Amino acid sequence: MSEKINRLKEVLVRLGVSQKELALKLDKNEHTISNWCINKSQPHLKDLRKIANLLNVDVCDLIEPLKKD
């Protein structure tokens, strides 16, 4: 099972943006966005920056914080 690294799905739900809308805005395949949302794969940093700009959020909001021991 993949480790949860990004919070993309949570942010999209909070903002009311569908995966399909994001795919269109990024010119990406919907399957790619779906894989990012379920943490099956991870977006490149350049894509995270684009997503943050499109959604008007800080890029840090899209990434799971490190767990402190």
Side-chain angles (χ1 to χ4, degrees):
M1 181 164 67
S2 298
E3 180 182 357
K4 185 174 179 183
I5 296 174
N6 76 65
R7 300 180 57 237
L8 181 56
K9 184 175 182 176
E10 295 170 43
V11 173
L12 290 175
V13 169
R14 186 180 77 221
L15 297 175
V17 177
S18 72
Q19 292 178 25
K20 184 175 185 172
E21 290 174 290
L22 184 61
L24 289 171
K25 289 180 181 180
L26 291 174
D27 195 30
K28 298 279 185 188
N29 185 295
E30 289 178 53
H31 186 70
T32 300
I33 305 301
S34 176
N35 283 340
W36 292 349
C37 285
I38 62 172
N39 279 279
K40 186 173 181 180
S41 63
Q42 300 302 320
H44 292 280
L45 183 56
K46 67 178 183 167
D47 291 320
L48 278 175
R49 291 180 67 189
K50 285 181 189 177
I51 293 166
N53 286 332
L54 286 170
L55 300 177
N56 198 28
V57 298
D58 190 295
V59 73
C60 292
D61 292 338
L62 300 172
I63 302 170
E64 261 310 292
L66 293 174
K67 306 287 187 232
K68 293 185 179 181
D69 294 330

